[in-house]
Amino acid sequence: MNVNDSEVVASILAKDGYTAVKSAEEADLVLLNTCSIREKAEYTVLQRINEMNNLKARNKGLKVGVLGCMAERMREELLEKKKVVDLVVGPDAYRTLPELLEKVGTGQKAVNVLLSREETYGEIVPVRLDTNGVTAFVTIMRGCDNMCAFCVVPFTRGRERSRDPHSIVDECRDLVAKGYKEVTLLGQNVDSYKYTSSPVPFSQGEGGNAASPQPLSGGEGLPSSDAFPLRVDFADLLEMVALACPTLRIRYSTSHPKDMTDKVLVVMARYPNICKYIHLPVQSGSSAVLKRMNRGYDRAWYMERMASIRRHMPDCAISTDIIAGFCGETEEDHQETLSLMNEVGYDMAFMFKYSERPKTLAARKYPDDVPEEEKGRRLAEIIEAQKMSSAKRMAGYVGQMHEVLIEGVSKRSAEHLFGRNSQNSIVIVPRYVDGFELKPGMFVHARISSSTAGSLQGEVTGIVEEALAKA
Ligand code: SAH
Ligand code: SF4
C-alpha cells in the first residue's frame, strides 16, 4: 500500500513539475514514505532520517519530507527532534504537497496531517515507480474501521472509505492499455468495500469520458449503470474488474475472516482471470487470544471460512499473518496457533513478534506481558511449522500443469526467469525454450518439475498469451 501511495504522490508532484530520479544523491527533494505497524519498522525509518543529515551536508538545497503513518503518529517529535526534516505529511494530505513545498521553499517547515473521511485519491492515476511493466497495484479503499487491539492503522490512516468503482475499473483498463498483465486490488479489509454512488443520469455515462460513469454490462448480480443509485460490494467490484479486463490477472489483499462472504468466493471461482489465492490473516489459533485482539471471530468461525474456500475452490492457495506473544498469550494458546497452522496447511505466512503500539486498545488495556525471549521462541516455532507446511504445499504442486505469468529474470541465474502461478507461488522457468526467448509479461504453461519451501521449478510446454481471453 505504501508503494502505491508513493506512486500517487509521484503523480501529484509530476503535475507540479517534479520527476523521479534514481537515487537520493541526485535529488532536490527526498520523501520518505513510512510505516508504523511495528516498532522495528519505525526504527528503520528513524535511522534513514538520520542518514539524510549526510546528504544535506553535501547538498545544502536538499529538502527532506516524511510521509505516511509515522508522519501522522509522530509529527511533533519529527519536527522538533529531527532538524533535518522540513516537511511532514499524513496519508490523507498528499494533494496539499505542492502548497506545502512552496512553504518549504521559503525556508519554513511545513506540516499537514489532517485525516479525511472522503479522500480516496480516486481520479489520480499513479505514476508507476520501479515497475516491471507486468504487475501493478490499485488501491480500492483507504483507512480501517476495525480497531483490532494490537493495530495502529486506524489511528494513522483514519476511517474506512471506498473508492468509486468506476475510477477503479478505469484505472485497470488503463493498465491493460499500457501492457500490464496483473493487478492487485488493495485495502486493509477489502471485504468491507462498499460504494453507493449518487444518482447520475444515464446519458452522462455514454460519452466514453474516463471521468464520468461508464455503463457496465455483465454477469448475474452485476450492478448495471441504469439502476442507480449503484451499490457495489467487494464481490461486485471483483466481477466488474474481471469482466471489464478479461485478459488481466486479478489479485487482491487483504481479506478479513469476519467479513469474507461466500459471494466473493463464488465470483472468484467463476472467473478464470481472478487468481485462486487468498491472504486471510488469522493472527492466532486461540479463541481467547482472538477475543482479546478484538478480531471479531473465533477459531471455529475461521475454520468454517477455510472450509468454505476449499468447497468453492479446491485449488485455492491460502496464506496468513500470525502474531506471536500477544498480551496474555499462554503456552496453550501458542500450541493452539501451531495446531491451527497444521490443520489449515498454509502455502505461506507473514509471522511477527507482538510489538506494542502507542494509543492502541492493547496498549491501554493489557500489559505486554510475554517476555521478549519467550516471544522469540514462539515465533521461531511458528516459522519452523510454516517452513514445513510451505514445503508440503509446494511439493503437492509437482507434476501439475500451471499457468505462469513471467515477471522478470531470476535472481540466482540469468538463464532463468521467474513468474507466479495463480496460487501466487514463485515458479522458476528456463529463459530459452527451443531457442525462443521468453519475456516478462508472457503467460506460459509450465509443468511443475520440483519444489522447495519457497518456490517451484517448471518446464515450459507452451505460451498461452491469449488463454485468459479465451477462457
Ligand atoms: N489489514 C490487514 C493487516 C494490516 S497489518 C489485516 O487486518 O489483516 C499487517 C499485519 O501486521 C497484521 O495482519 C498483523 O499480523 C501484523 N501486525 C499489526 N500490528 C502488529 C503489532 N502491533 N505487532 C505485531 N504485528 C502486528
Ligand atoms: Fe489493523 Fe485490524 Fe484494520 Fe487490519 S483490520 S488494518 S489489523 S485494525
Side-chain angles (χ1 to χ4, degrees):
M1 190 162 275
N2 267 1
V3 169
N4 194 223
D5 274 7
S6 296
E7 294 177 336
V8 167
V9 167
S11 174
I12 292 168
L13 290 181
K15 290 200 188 81
D16 210 33
Y18 287 83
T19 48
V21 288
K22 288 265 178 293
S23 72
E25 280 75 19
E26 299 166 55
D28 304 312
L29 170 68
V30 174
L31 299 173
L32 302 167
N33 198 355
T34 62
C35 173
S36 288
I37 200 80
R38 281 167 294 276
E39 202 178 355
K40 204 168 134 198
E42 290 194 343
Y43 178 76
T44 309
V45 174
L46 292 172
Q47 299 279 91
R48 185 65 72 85
I49 292 175
N50 289 342
E51 287 168 21
M52 291 297 131
N53 280 310
N54 300 336
L55 276 184
K56 249 195 186 175
R58 271 180 265 143
N59 175 2
K60 293 276 182 275
L62 178 71
K63 302 292 179 195
V64 174
V66 178
L67 312 181
C69 289
M70 272 175 82
E72 198 62 49
R73 206 182 79 67
M74 299 174 69
R75 55 200 152 205
E76 280 98 14
E77 251 177 287
L78 289 170
L79 285 172
E80 283 163 20
K81 294 203 187 128
K82 299 281 177 194
K83 292 230 157 17
V84 74
V85 174
D86 303 291
L87 177 73
V88 174
V89 192
D92 286 346
Y94 298 146
R95 280 182 207 267
T96 63
L97 267 166
E99 297 134 53
L100 296 169
L101 284 169
E102 239 172 73
K103 191 169 168 194
V104 166
T106 65
Q108 305 172 69
K109 295 210 173 199
V111 53
N112 186 352
V113 289
L114 283 179
L115 288 172
S116 155
R117 277 172 175 262
E118 284 95 37
E119 181 61 272
T120 61
Y121 301 110
E123 83 301 348
I124 294 179
V125 179
V127 170
R128 306 288 162 188
L129 300 168
D130 249 352
T131 176
N132 58 8
V134 180
T135 60
F137 297 117
V138 171
T139 296
I140 63 166
M141 60 201 295
R142 301 184 69 84
C144 183
D145 281 352
N146 274 322
M147 292 291 170
C148 299
F150 50 80
C151 185
V152 77
V153 169
F155 301 93
T156 57
R157 288 187 164 264
R159 299 303 297 268
E160 178 187 296
R161 63 225 99 115
S162 297
R163 181 177 167 192
D164 184 337
H166 297 97
S167 75
I168 296 169
V169 169
D170 284 345
E171 192 175 325
C172 293
R173 283 197 174 119
D174 183 55
L175 286 171
V176 174
K178 288 178 174 149
Y180 285 84
K181 299 292 161 64
E182 182 180 296
V183 69
T184 303
L185 306 177
L186 293 177
Q188 294 296 346
N189 174 4
V190 292
D191 294 304
S192 70
Y193 176 92
K194 50 186 162 313
Y195 190 87
T196 308
S197 83
S198 45
V200 178
F202 184 64
S203 58
Q204 279 190 20
E206 292 177 335
N209 173 357
S212 64
Q214 304 283 309
L216 290 156
S217 58
E220 231 176 88
L222 190 74
S224 71
S225 58
D226 50 355
F228 286 114
L230 184 65
R231 267 199 203 87
V232 181
D233 64 17
F234 181 59
D236 299 326
L237 179 73
L238 262 184
E239 188 162 38
M240 286 164 83
V241 178
L243 285 166
C245 306
T247 58
L248 188 67
R249 251 191 186 184
I250 301 157
R251 300 187 187 279
Y252 63 86
S253 195
T254 302
S255 299
H256 197 301
K258 82 176 161 61
D259 297 317
M260 192 190 72
T261 61
D262 282 356
K263 187 176 168 192
V264 167
L265 302 179
V266 168
V267 169
M268 283 181 77
R270 186 185 295 163
Y271 293 94
N273 57 332
I274 304 179
C275 289
K276 303 301 175 268
Y277 168 68
I278 299 182
H279 183 61
L280 195 66
V282 67
Q283 314 297 359
S284 168
S286 151
S287 293
V289 173
L290 289 170
K291 187 148 198 264
R292 271 201 303 287
M293 285 178 165
N294 200 28
R295 284 288 288 180
Y297 56 87
D298 60 9
R299 181 182 174 123
W301 173 277
Y302 186 90
M303 292 311 293
E304 190 284 320
R305 292 289 72 209
M306 202 52 61
S308 189
I309 295 173
R310 298 252 149 90
R311 267 196 311 275
H312 286 90
M313 291 169 288
D315 58 342
C316 191
I318 298 161
S319 62
T320 199
D321 293 348
I322 295 176
I323 297 178
F326 182 64
C327 313
E329 187 190 76
T330 62
E331 179 59 28
E332 289 71 46
D333 294 324
H334 168 61
Q335 290 302 327
E336 285 196 58
T337 296
L338 293 175
S339 85
L340 180 134
M341 292 175 77
N342 190 32
E343 251 177 76
V344 172
Y346 290 110
D347 282 64
M348 198 270 291
F350 297 106
M351 299 153 285
F352 315 100
K353 273 196 258 182
Y354 171 59
S355 160
E356 186 176 273
R357 306 282 56 220
K359 278 203 200 168
T360 55
L361 194 69
R364 284 180 281 134
K365 222 169 140 186
Y366 308 118
D368 181 9
D369 55 0
V370 178
E372 193 56 30
E373 209 175 301
E374 185 59 22
K375 282 183 189 170
R377 180 191 60 87
R378 291 181 192 175
L379 179 64
E381 287 181 12
I382 288 168
I383 291 173
E384 196 48 41
Q386 185 51 46
K387 254 194 213 153
M388 279 158 56
S389 178
S390 294
K392 201 165 149 194
R393 288 286 300 176
M394 294 291 173
Y397 295 132
V398 174
Q400 295 182 1
M401 291 297 298
H402 283 197
E403 196 171 278
V404 177
L405 171 60
I406 308 286
E407 290 181 27
V409 178
S410 159
K411 273 190 211 127
R412 297 227 177 114
S413 137
E415 294 302 298
H416 289 83
L417 301 176
F418 77 94
R420 281 169 204 273
N421 59 8
S422 175
Q423 287 77 6
N424 206 35
S425 12
I426 298 224
V427 185
I428 310 289
V429 294
R431 186 169 188 162
Y432 298 92
V433 178
D434 297 333
F436 178 80
E437 185 182 0
L438 299 175
K439 296 263 168 60
M442 285 179 177
F443 284 102
V444 298
H445 273 315
R447 186 186 312 282
I448 306 303
S449 52
S450 66
S451 70
T452 66
S455 64
L456 302 169
Q457 299 273 343
E459 292 154 10
V460 174
T461 59
I463 297 170
V464 286
E465 182 116 32
E466 298 309 315
L468 286 171
K470 275 190 263 136

